[in-house]
Amino acid sequence: MSSIQKSEVDVVLVGAGIMSATLGILLKELEPNLKIEIVERLDHAAAESSDAMNNAGTGHSAFCELNYTPERPDGTIDASKAINIVEQFEISRQFWAYLVNKKVLQNPNKFINSVPHMSFVWGKDNVNFLEKRYNELLKYPLFQGMEFSKDPKQIEQWAPLLMENRKLDDVYAATHMRIGTDVNFGELTREIFNYLVKEDGVSMSFNTEVNNIKRKGDKWLVEAKDEISGKTKKIKAKFVFVGAGGGAILLLQKADIPESKGFGGFPVGGEWLVCNDPTVVSKHMAKVYGKASVGAPPMSVPHLDTRFIDGKHSLLFGPYAGFSTKFLKQGSFMDLFKSLELNNVLPMLSAGIRNIDLTKYLIGQVMQSNEARLAALKEYFPDAKEEDWKLEHAGQRVQVIKKGKDGKGVLQFGTEVVNSADGSIAALLGASPGASTATQIMLKLLSNCFPNEYKSEQWQSKIKEMIPSFGLKLNEHPELVEETRERCSKILKIYPNN
């Protein structure tokens, strides 16, 4: 019997995370006859960046993340990124609502729950910044309903743990957005794949690691190894998507497309403090974000989070950033070194020199003691007791390094889709706010890689069915904002408390 298994499909999805799940279900809805094969190196779906413990689960909607609303040199607030992110999150919510109606997702409260989003700061300068931010965001329909207060009693009412036994020798401020949510992207991903694998023409392989992707005429040959049986799989496909989290950059390099040249990656790890004590957890129902330390990457903005994971209500604080040469949580310490090529060494070195503050910050985080972690937690929860919290590893992220216009490396926060000129292969690089905006990211990928089909009346009509606001900016159509949110909230069973 041959130890090589050969197959031919229309689409190969490498990696079983939220991006592959979203792209897979979109393609199957748009083209039901497509043959799709999903290949995952671990033994279950959503085991890396999409897993609930490996991301913030915020449902990044820019309600509370202060790094999405930077202060300009003249002191005004730039809300453009926040508006763009909340627009994209509303697209995700509409798509999830469609999937619930279609019975792809059976019980929405397994993956999405109502949890208010808050920003919390102290000190005169920070309080002034937050008030300016609040006043700026209120100008836009997507942020209507946001509340602001400098009254400690009001803040305590929103989130008691923040103010309990706090010495009021400083000034404090908070914003509160009651329509925020907590999203378990791991559960969402697994539910989509559970549906997909029952569809005709869809197959899925776990414990199977892709070790090469290369051109084969007008198609791609994906070579993988089944780690259980030892058999080699060779899959021919018209289109390949690499959604392998931090591992995507290594696979993209193997594909050797010109568009991948000059890209590098900078890995950043994370850890959480987790509390499961019901007496503590029951006192807090909010996602509370603060301001990041100088030099900290965006995914390290401190937050005290209500989370619903596998039906259990927990509190998480962090993340505490760290450095590892791994590109995946269950990756290899050689990942960073394997990614070095002649075309990206200089961009990576120059990016490192340009981001000395980040390097210093990560070294400080790695060296942090338990006492220092507890002290950081107490800035948000003054009554925190060490015995109620345990340290757990969060996911591994790889920040994109790309060649700038000056030829030097630029460390880029966020996500980036890289695709070949003919659109036959694409990869997703980067991190936050990826999962929350996965639907919009994958729609953009479809427009790049399937341009003729994307423009067709069939696809445009189907996308509009799945995402009713498609083609419109909700922020420019105030009358649609409330209507869209009410409809989605009803379908997703998320009913904010007053």
Side-chain angles (χ1 to χ4, degrees):
M1 185 180 290
S2 172
S3 61
I4 298 177
Q5 295 179 338
K6 295 182 179 181
S7 61
E8 187 162 344
V9 296
D10 298 303
V11 174
V12 171
L13 305 176
V14 181
I18 185 62
M19 293 297 171
S20 290
T22 302
L23 180 58
I25 194 69
L26 279 171
L27 282 169
K28 204 63 179 169
E29 289 296 297
L30 293 165
E31 294 286 348
N33 294 324
L34 281 179
K35 291 180 70 176
I36 300 174
E37 184 151 355
I38 305 136
V39 183
E40 168 57 47
R41 63 189 284 271
L42 300 178
D43 61 3
H44 64 281
E48 279 282 353
S49 297
S50 301
D51 181 72
M53 285 299 295
N54 292 344
N55 62 66
T58 305
H60 283 281
S61 47
F63 295 152
C64 57
E65 303 93 331
L66 301 180
N67 54 301
Y68 294 153
T69 49
E71 196 169 11
R72 298 186 182 98
D74 65 0
T76 58
I77 301 297
D78 181 358
S80 56
K81 185 172 184 178
I83 293 166
N84 187 44
I85 288 171
V86 71
E87 286 275 10
Q88 293 182 60
F89 184 63
E90 292 295 333
I91 287 172
S92 288
R93 279 180 28 129
Q94 290 177 71
F95 185 52
W96 300 338
Y98 167 82
L99 295 179
V100 170
N101 279 338
K102 192 179 167 69
K103 307 297 183 188
V104 174
L105 304 172
Q106 299 295 325
N107 177 7
N109 291 139
K110 286 181 72 176
F111 74 88
I112 188 167
N113 287 275
S114 178
V115 177
H117 286 192
M118 292 179 62
S119 302
F120 175 64
V121 297
W122 55 89
K124 185 179 177 181
D125 289 345
N126 289 337
V127 168
N128 288 341
F129 164 78
L130 190 63
E131 189 163 15
K132 281 195 295 185
R133 176 185 187 269
Y134 165 73
N135 288 328
E136 179 64 23
L137 292 181
L138 271 195
K139 297 175 184 176
Y140 307 104
L142 288 168
F143 293 91
Q144 291 305 304
M146 181 176 283
E147 299 173 86
F148 172 84
S149 183
K150 292 187 275 190
D151 180 0
K153 291 189 181 302
Q154 177 61 74
I155 299 171
E156 185 172 13
Q157 187 177 332
W158 288 333
L161 297 187
L162 296 181
M163 304 307 293
E164 278 186 2
N165 295 324
R166 187 181 289 276
K167 294 177 182 178
L168 299 180
D169 53 359
D170 205 343
V171 288
Y172 302 90
T175 55
H176 182 267
M177 196 69 163
R178 59 189 288 272
I179 63 169
T181 50
D182 172 64
V183 184
N184 183 332
F185 289 103
E187 187 61 39
L188 174 62
T189 301
R190 286 186 285 272
E191 283 211 37
I192 292 174
F193 278 131
N194 287 342
Y195 174 88
L196 266 178
V197 295
K198 295 171 187 172
E199 293 289 282
D200 289 341
V202 179
S203 58
M204 192 167 189
S205 302
F206 291 112
N207 298 300
T208 303
E209 183 159 15
V210 173
N211 47 51
N212 204 7
I213 301 173
K214 58 186 180 182
R215 290 272 189 186
K216 197 75 173 177
D218 62 348
K219 296 182 181 177
W220 288 96
L221 182 65
V222 178
E223 297 180 350
K225 182 181 179 183
D226 184 319
E227 298 297 333
I228 304 299
S229 67
K231 288 184 177 180
T232 296
K233 299 185 75 166
K234 293 190 175 184
I235 314 162
K236 266 190 186 180
K238 299 173 188 173
F239 174 75
V240 176
F241 171 65
V242 184
I249 195 164
L250 295 170
L251 291 174
L252 187 62
Q253 288 173 340
K254 289 181 184 295
D256 198 33
I257 59 173
E259 293 80 6
S260 70
K261 304 305 180 186
F263 276 94
F266 186 86
V268 178
E271 294 177 311
W272 300 110
L273 281 176
V274 182
C275 176
N276 293 313
D277 185 336
T279 59
V280 178
V281 173
S282 62
K283 294 180 181 179
H284 188 82
M285 180 61 73
K287 290 183 173 293
V288 181
Y289 274 56
K291 287 201 78 173
S293 303
V294 174
M299 82 293 295
S300 296
V301 174
H303 39 100
L304 182 63
D305 257 16
T306 291
R307 297 296 301 272
F308 292 93
I309 299 174
D310 301 327
K312 188 165 65 175
H313 184 183
S314 302
L315 282 186
L316 273 63
F317 180 77
Y320 301 95
F323 176 76
S324 166
T325 53
K326 290 183 179 182
F327 278 3
L328 292 162
K329 189 173 180 179
Q330 299 182 60
S332 164
F333 286 109
M334 293 303 294
D335 287 342
L336 177 60
F337 307 106
K338 287 178 182 176
S339 75
L340 296 175
E341 295 185 333
L342 286 175
N343 61 70
N344 70 9
V345 169
L346 285 178
M348 289 179 71
L349 286 174
S350 60
I353 293 168
R354 284 180 171 183
N355 291 274
I356 293 296
D357 281 349
L358 174 58
T359 306
K360 289 179 180 176
Y361 170 80
L362 292 174
I363 292 170
Q365 290 275 293
V366 170
M367 303 297 288
Q368 207 170 35
S369 64
N370 290 336
E371 291 77 13
R373 292 190 188 97
L374 185 65
L377 169 60
K378 285 191 170 188
E379 289 186 323
Y380 290 83
F381 176 14
D383 270 358
K385 295 177 176 59
E386 186 174 1
E387 60 268 23
D388 294 334
W389 299 79
K390 62 177 181 178
L391 192 66
E392 292 197 13
H393 289 292
Q396 192 76 5
R397 298 287 185 270
V398 176
Q399 302 305 316
V400 176
I401 294 175
K402 59 188 294 187
K403 191 180 293 184
K405 292 179 180 178
D406 60 0
K408 295 180 179 178
V410 177
L411 184 62
Q412 183 171 299
F413 297 109
T415 52
E416 177 148 350
V417 174
V418 179
N419 58 266
S420 59
D422 64 358
S424 63
I425 187 169
L428 183 86
L429 307 178
S432 179
S436 301
T437 59
T439 307
Q440 175 59 37
I441 292 171
M442 291 299 104
L443 286 173
K444 178 65 175 173
L445 182 148
L446 290 175
S447 73
N448 290 345
C449 298
F450 300 84
N452 295 330
E453 295 90 336
Y454 188 81
K455 293 173 186 173
S456 70
E457 186 178 338
Q458 177 195 333
W459 275 36
Q460 290 285 305
S461 175
K462 184 63 180 181
I463 295 171
K464 184 79 174 175
E465 178 191 339
M466 296 187 288
I467 302 157
S469 75
F470 176 67
L472 299 173
K473 292 285 188 183
L474 284 176
N475 204 54
E476 297 171 5
H477 296 270
E479 72 283 359
L480 291 180
V481 174
E482 188 172 353
E483 175 191 323
T484 300
R485 283 178 169 167
E486 283 188 4
R487 182 180 61 82
C488 290
S489 294
K490 185 176 181 180
I491 296 169
L492 296 173
K493 300 180 181 178
I494 42 178
Y495 308 109
N497 296 319
N498 290 316

